[in-house]
């Protein structure tokens, strides 16, 4: 449509809408619109079949609002709840401009089939858009029903403020959506004598620090400050966008999400996020140039060519024993000790070794040093999972943004970015934390940072000697090779693991479509790294070799990737876990005898590995502190 033509059409629409608002839809005829716009009947009917088509323009504007809202990148959304609220407020703002028309339209749609179809179509589109972010169809439908009810109530109230009604009633609605508890009668407690709030400091704004602070922020008797020395939260789970691609410093794959502490947190903290399972049929292992399905479940195990028939029978028996929690592995100091004592074929032993490499992000040498109890417990959960590998849609930012919002909305917590703690001392029964610009006193202190940084901060203090056993702990480090491609160059599988060179490539965008612009592809290569070198030159040569091996794997399975690069990021040494869970390391306990602090993070004791240990240890620490919060006395 030419600009001049569109301008004429828009004039008719705006004039008609103004007449509908003044007189009501039923009282305005096509002739009235023609007279007010100084046009002819031919011109009117060139643009519209009837005045109902003009009313449909309001619906089109609503449709455009929903469409624009749906395009928002999950990484830029602070929280699911606020994002959904923004949509309904924008829809309400559009309707508020036409109060009398909306009232007429609402009444007429009950009788007019065409208008009724338009309204149903818009509601269906709204439901589809909501379910992209809120996968529970019942909750999505409830939001729409409440919104429609508020609009109906507004239509009956000539002086009502639609946007304020949305704000008031949606706040009540979300309070109900966040809990699964049945609605009970209103309870009224006696007035209480309030003790001074407990003051808590959380040092470190990664996944563990955010989780601990989020749990504590729910308790009104606790105030606190979350200190983070960098400009952003999330730590190694930091997310950023470039050229339309969302890149994660920490992979947002979650193993066994249905048995993961993240699922527990989702319920307890009222988080809302979606996840999608990696297609198990497209997870492949490559050995001696032969690509074969990874034995993730019974179907793939039967298809894989990594094992012979008898070896498959043996491996199924071991999986069954792990699931029943009676595998002999838990009685061995390390995986290497178990494999040395096992009478299994070498292919079965190699498969165990490779599984541990893949899930723990370590080399075969380190895999053999993982404690047998750790492996038995980890695979007990993973083999019982119905969702072994999932991606949180939209990256870790979807989780970290919600945790941040929960902390900030509490009203009694502060998030201090770019404020590192320099010293800690004990004075007048308080822990005094000094940063560059201020000193603050706290009742409790949580360290949510790598143990290596904790030791550095406490160096020279009376508590330093008690941390000595953890000073030599080594971290899990890998090479990360991310490439965002302007097109899908190939999609033969969603994951390919090179068993010969111990590296893999994930087609992240095959599972998480939210991370790429339309038509793009995001590939992430990971290479497990040795960390023992005689000289720095030896280490550099090794890293160059690993880079070349990774690029050859890209060349082999994703031909044309080099010519299609839109974004590229290579981290030759990226920390996956602050403490490698092997026999020569010791995970830091959540509480340490003679040390008055709390410790959480992926280098501390807790359930699972990687991010799960960060989440679970933070939850444990927060629950321990909450037990000490004094309860107000009844007056």
């Amino acid at each position: 449509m030419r600009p001049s033509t569109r301008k004429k059409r828009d004039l008719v629409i705006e004039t008609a809408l103004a007449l509908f608002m003044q007189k009501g839809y039923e009282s305005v005829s096509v002739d009235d619109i023609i007279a007010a716009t100084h046009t002819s009947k031919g011109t009117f009917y060139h643009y519209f079949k009837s005045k109902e088509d003009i009313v449909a323009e309001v619906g089109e504007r609503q449709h455009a609002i929903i469409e624009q809202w749906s395009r928002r990148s999950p990484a830029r959304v602070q929280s699911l709840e606020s994002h959904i609220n923004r949509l309904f407020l924008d829809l309400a703002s559009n309707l508020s401009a036409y109060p009398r028309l909306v009232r007429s339209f609402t009444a007429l749609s009950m009788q007019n089939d065409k208008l009724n179809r338009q309204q149903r179509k818009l509601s269906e589109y709204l439901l589809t858009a909501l379910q992209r972010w809120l996968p529970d169809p019942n909750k999505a439908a409830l939001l729409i029903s409440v919104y429609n009810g508020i609009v109906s109530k507004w239509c009956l109230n000539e002086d009502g403020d639609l946007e304020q009604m949305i704000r008031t009633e949606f706040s009540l609605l979300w309070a109900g959506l966040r809990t699964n508890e049945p609605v009970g009668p209103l309870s009224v407690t006696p007035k209480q004598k309030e003790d001074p709030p407990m003051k808590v400091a959380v040092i470190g704004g990664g996944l563990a620090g955010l989780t601990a602070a989020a749990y504590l922020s729910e308790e009104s008797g606790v105030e606190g400050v979350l200190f983070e020395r960098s400009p952003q939260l999330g730590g190694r789970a930091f997310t950023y966008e470039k050229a339309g691609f969302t890149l994660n410093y920490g992979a947002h794959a979650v193993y066994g999400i249905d048995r993961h502490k993240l699922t527990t947190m989702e319920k307890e903290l009222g988080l809302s996020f979606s996840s999608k399972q990696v297609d198990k049929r497209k997870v492949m292992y490559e050995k001696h140039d032969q690509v074969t399905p990874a034995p993730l479940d019974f179907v793939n195990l039967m298809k894989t060519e990594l094992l012979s028939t008898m070896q498959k029978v043996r491996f199924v028996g071991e999986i069954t024993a792990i699931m029943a929690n009676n595998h002999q592995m838990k009685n061995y100091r390390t995986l290497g000790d178990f494999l040395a004592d096992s009478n299994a074929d070498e292919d079965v032993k190699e498969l165990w070794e490779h599984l541990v490499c893949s899930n723990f992000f370590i080399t075969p040498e380190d895999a053999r040093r993982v404690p047998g109890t750790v492996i038995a417990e980890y695979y007990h959960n993973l083999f019982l999972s119905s969702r072994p590998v999932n991606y949180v849609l939209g990256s870790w930012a979807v989780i970290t943004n919600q945790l941040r919002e929960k902390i900030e909305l509490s009203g009694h917590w502060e998030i201090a970015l770019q404020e590192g703690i320099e010293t800690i001392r004990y004075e007048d029964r308080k822990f005094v934390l000094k940063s560059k610009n201020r000193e603050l006193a706290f009742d409790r202190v949580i360290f949510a940072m790598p143990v290596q940084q904790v030791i550095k901060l406490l160096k020279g203090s009376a508590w330093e000697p008690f941390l000595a056993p953890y000073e030599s702990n080594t971290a899990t480090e890998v090479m990360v090779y991310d490439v965002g491609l302007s097109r899908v160059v190939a999609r033969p599988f969603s994951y390919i693991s090179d068993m010969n060179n111990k590296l893999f490539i994930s087609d992240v965008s095959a599972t998480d479509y939210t991370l790429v612009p339309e038509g793009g592809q995001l590939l992430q290569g990971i290479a497990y790294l040795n960390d023992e070198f005689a000289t720095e030159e030896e280490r550099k040569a090794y890293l160059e070799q690993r880079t070349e091996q990774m690029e050859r794997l890209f060349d082999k399975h994703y031909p044309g990737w080099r010519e299609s690069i839109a974004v590229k990021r290579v981290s030759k040494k990226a920390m996956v876990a602050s403490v490698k869970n092997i026999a020569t390391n010791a995970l830091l306990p959540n509480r340490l005898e003679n040390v008055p602090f709390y410790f959480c993070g992926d280098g501390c004791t807790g359930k699972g590995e990687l991010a799960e240990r960060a989440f679970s240890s933070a939850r444990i620490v927060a629950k321990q502190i909450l037990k000490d919060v004094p309860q107000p006395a009844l007056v």
Side-chain angles (χ1 to χ4, degrees), residues 32-79:
D32 292 332
I33 298 169
I34 292 170
T37 54
H38 305 290
T39 56
S40 65
K41 280 192 176 183
T43 301
F44 178 89
Y45 287 111
H46 174 70
Y47 297 139
F48 310 102
K49 293 180 180 177
S50 67
K51 68 175 185 176
E52 291 170 352
D53 285 356
I54 298 178
V55 176
E57 184 67 21
V58 177
E60 289 299 319
R61 294 178 184 183
Q62 297 289 79
H63 191 286
I65 290 170
I66 299 168
E67 185 178 21
Q68 184 178 9
W69 176 85
S70 297
R71 291 200 196 106
R72 185 82 182 272
S73 167
R76 292 185 174 275
V77 172
Q78 188 174 35
S79 80

Side-chain angles (χ1 to χ4, degrees), residues 426-488:
Y426 189 66
E427 184 179 283
D428 296 330
R429 302 178 68 181
K430 299 281 186 180
F431 299 102
V432 181
L433 276 60
K434 182 179 183 299
S435 68
K436 187 176 181 179
N437 300 317
R438 57 178 173 168
E439 281 191 354
L440 295 173
F442 296 93
D443 301 296
R444 302 286 189 278
V445 176
I446 300 172
F447 285 100
M449 54 200 285
V451 62
Q452 298 88 340
Q453 294 178 17
V454 176
I455 293 169
K456 184 178 178 181
L457 181 58
L458 296 181
K459 200 161 190 65
S461 71
W463 306 299
E464 181 190 359
F466 300 102
L467 290 161
Y470 310 96
E471 193 166 6
S472 59
N473 277 347
T474 55
T476 303
E477 294 178 318
V478 298
M479 175 181 289
V480 181
Y481 201 123
D482 286 328
V483 285
L485 307 178
S486 58
R487 63 186 180 90
V488 178

Side-chain angles (χ1 to χ4, degrees), residues 535-548:
T535 65
E536 181 64 16
E537 289 71 23
E538 206 176 289
R539 184 186 71 82
K540 287 182 179 179
Y542 170 76
L543 292 176
E544 287 304 317
Q545 179 192 32
R546 297 299 274 161
T547 304
E548 291 171 7

Side-chain angles (χ1 to χ4, degrees), residues 356-397:
V356 175
C357 287
S358 301
N359 293 129
F360 289 61
F361 290 79
I362 53 180
T363 61
E365 295 79 12
D366 281 330
R368 287 177 171 267
R369 290 188 279 178
V370 176
T373 52
V374 171
I375 295 175
E377 181 180 350
Y378 181 82
Y379 285 104
H380 171 74
N381 275 301
L382 193 57
F383 289 153
L384 285 173
S385 170
S386 61
R387 301 167 69 186
V389 185
N390 271 58
Y391 277 97
V392 175
L393 295 184
S395 78
W396 283 124

Side-chain angles (χ1 to χ4, degrees), residues 522-573:
L522 180 60
L523 303 174
Q524 182 174 74
I526 300 286
Y528 316 130
L529 298 180
N530 288 318
D531 54 10
E532 297 176 3
F533 300 97
T535 65
E536 181 64 16
E537 289 71 23
E538 206 176 289
R539 184 186 71 82
K540 287 182 179 179
Y542 170 76
L543 292 176
E544 287 304 317
Q545 179 192 32
R546 297 299 274 161
T547 304
E548 291 171 7
Q549 289 172 336
M550 178 65 73
E551 291 177 345
R552 284 199 296 269
L553 191 63
F554 274 108
D555 288 336
K556 185 174 183 179
H557 297 293
Y558 298 94
W561 70 279
R562 294 176 188 266
E563 293 74 31
S564 303
I565 294 175
V567 173
K568 180 179 176 182
R569 185 194 66 195
V570 180
S571 302
K572 292 197 173 180
K573 282 188 70 176

